[in-house]
Amino acid sequence: MHRERHQERQHRIPREALARTRRRQTRARAHPLFIAATVSYAANCALGTAVATGRVHTGRAHWVHHALYICTSTLAAAAASSLVWSRSRAGWALLPAAIPLVAIPTVSARTRGHVRIALSAAPFFLGALLASLRERENGNIENKRKR
């Protein structure tokens, strides 16, 4: 009986350490999603601006802008979902961007309203990216202190 308790205690410590490591890893995995979502959003805005100002002519390839919009929306949803599957809380900053992302297809691309709605998501993408960067830095600092 005593031997079993001793073995049980020996297994608890590694399991707890493993759980802490997994929590750190899940936080670290969320960060690239925020980077990818923000880069995709910026690329989509840049392409839209270039087409609107006449610097780029997509012709029959206007679907590229639509594909970037789908990519941005998907990446933003994946990043915001980190609230569920990781300890990252940066998703809270990105959630309000869902409103302009849902509204943008309902407004004609040839209007100023389209541009305003698209740009209204910018603070949320930037805020979420900065929050994710802060979480990553704080996580790395905590890890160094524990060592």
Side-chain angles (χ1 to χ4, degrees):
M1 181 99 154
H2 178 69
R3 183 178 273 171
E4 290 173 7
R5 283 185 192 162
H6 180 70
Q7 287 175 346
E8 203 174 290
R9 274 190 232 128
Q10 283 180 333
H11 291 292
R12 269 191 213 157
I13 295 171
R15 284 182 189 162
E16 291 169 3
L18 182 61
R20 277 194 306 270
T21 302
R22 285 185 182 149
R23 283 193 300 267
R24 282 188 216 127
Q25 288 173 345
T26 57
R27 179 182 283 181
R29 288 186 202 134
H31 180 69
L33 286 172
F34 288 98
I35 293 172
T38 305
V39 168
S40 180
Y41 172 77
N44 202 8
C45 287
L47 179 61
T49 302
V51 169
T53 58
R55 294 190 185 255
V56 173
H57 299 283
T58 54
R60 291 184 180 217
H62 63 276
W63 59 267
V64 173
H65 188 58
H66 300 166
L68 267 173
Y69 164 77
I70 292 168
C71 181
T72 300
S73 298
T74 304
L75 287 168
S81 77
S82 68
L83 289 168
V84 176
W85 54 266
S86 81
R87 292 180 7 158
S88 174
R89 296 294 166 235
W92 287 114
L94 190 56
L95 278 179
I99 295 167
L101 287 176
V102 168
I104 195 95
T106 64
V107 179
S108 173
R110 292 177 173 81
T111 64
R112 287 186 181 183
H114 188 82
V115 174
R116 287 184 184 131
I117 292 172
L119 291 178
S120 70
F124 304 115
F125 278 96
L126 184 60
L129 178 63
L130 293 175
S132 175
L133 285 169
R134 262 186 258 117
E135 283 181 350
R136 185 171 177 215
E137 283 180 14
N138 290 341
N140 288 344
I141 291 169
E142 289 172 11
N143 294 344
K144 288 177 185 174
R145 287 180 187 162
K146 288 180 182 177
R147 288 180 189 169

